[in-house]
Amino acid sequence: MSSHRLRNSKWAMSVSVLVITALIDLSGRPRLHSGPSDPKCSAVSFTSRLDAGKSYVRKVGNLEFRITAAQGNGLCHGWTFSLEDKSGNDFVYPVNMPLRFNPSEMLDCSYGLTARQGLEMKRRMRFILTEQDYLRLVPLMRDALRPGDSPDPDHAAERYLKAIDAVPTGFLRLDTLHFELSSAGLIRSATFRVELIAPSSFHFDPPLKPRSIACSSGP
């Protein structure tokens, strides 16, 4: 086999590993990562009721939890959600698979879902804890998404998967408690409950009344 064909074969294998792992992650639940010296975690929870077109922001520590109204006609008038730092970087997306065609952060009818299906989906996701980890992971994520642009395309997916498996993360639950749809299937309003669990080294804002919890309670 020529070196060119061998290189393409390894590249294809790396992409296949990424896709297979994505399917495994979709069928399972994310793990809460905490260091061996940090066996206890903190948890906070809050609810938000939103009418279509309205957005919500809640400071949770060094990050902000955001539910953002869809722009334009917004498909079915839903929202997206994120955990962002002061620069607007989303600390959820880089550590939740799959990286493509994933409706997990979309509270609407994206990717062929109905509005009802999109709102009834239970979200169980990881989130990055520090800016340093975010800045370290994002280049690896981009290489995995576009291995042809990576300096080492044969190992781009492998390096990314190892990095997200090892990085300390928190855990996010988002459930829709109630929603109203129009006769045309458009979203009129929804009430969401959010729970965030993180190692005790992550400091939630005191007004959220953080409570102590075993890290094993996260996933």
Side-chain angles (χ1 to χ4, degrees):
M1 182 182 294
S2 70
S3 60
H4 177 72
R5 290 180 61 192
L6 180 60
R7 183 180 184 85
N8 285 344
S9 175
K10 289 182 177 179
W11 181 0
M13 184 177 295
S14 295
V15 174
S16 296
V17 169
L18 191 63
V19 171
I20 290 170
T21 304
L23 294 175
I24 292 172
D25 280 7
L26 280 176
S27 64
R29 295 195 294 177
R31 291 173 295 160
L32 182 67
H33 286 232
S34 63
S37 62
D38 191 15
K40 292 186 178 180
C41 284
S42 297
V44 297
S45 59
F46 47 90
T47 60
S48 173
R49 183 194 178 280
L50 290 172
D51 291 324
K54 301 297 183 180
S55 298
Y56 173 84
V57 180
R58 185 74 182 252
K59 191 173 186 299
V60 298
N62 63 319
L63 303 176
E64 287 185 339
F65 178 82
R66 293 179 171 268
I67 301 178
T68 305
Q71 301 298 311
N73 63 19
L75 294 175
C76 51
H77 301 170
W79 303 268
T80 61
F81 74 88
S82 57
L83 267 174
E84 299 182 8
D85 67 3
K86 59 185 179 181
S87 299
N89 298 313
D90 181 15
F91 278 35
V92 175
Y93 175 70
V95 286
N96 290 281
M97 303 267 281
L99 295 176
R100 298 186 191 275
F101 311 116
N102 186 351
S104 294
E105 289 185 80
M106 298 179 180
L107 303 162
D108 61 15
C109 53
S110 298
Y111 297 116
L113 298 175
T114 65
R116 179 176 298 276
Q117 289 171 331
L119 290 174
E120 289 181 342
M121 182 188 300
K122 294 182 183 298
R123 272 75 178 184
R124 305 290 186 263
M125 307 174 75
R126 296 169 63 189
F127 64 91
I128 300 168
L129 301 171
T130 69
E131 182 182 17
Q132 292 81 0
D133 284 334
Y134 176 86
L135 294 174
R136 181 171 60 86
L137 283 174
V138 165
L140 299 175
M141 178 189 73
R142 289 173 178 160
D143 286 348
L145 280 168
R146 296 185 294 273
D149 297 333
S150 167
D152 184 9
D154 294 339
H155 301 98
E158 179 184 359
R159 290 191 301 128
Y160 165 69
L161 292 173
K162 285 183 177 179
I164 64 170
D165 187 60
V167 68
T169 59
F171 178 73
L172 180 154
R173 290 187 177 104
L174 186 149
D175 295 311
T176 308
L177 301 181
H178 177 75
F179 61 87
E180 296 181 4
L181 303 179
S182 71
S183 58
L186 301 180
I187 299 170
R188 286 179 171 171
S189 66
T191 301
F192 303 105
R193 182 182 187 277
V194 179
E195 182 178 33
L196 302 172
I197 303 174
S200 57
S201 56
F202 183 91
H203 299 294
F204 289 112
D205 278 14
L208 290 171
K209 299 181 180 178
R211 64 188 187 278
S212 181
I213 189 173
C215 291
S216 59
S217 301

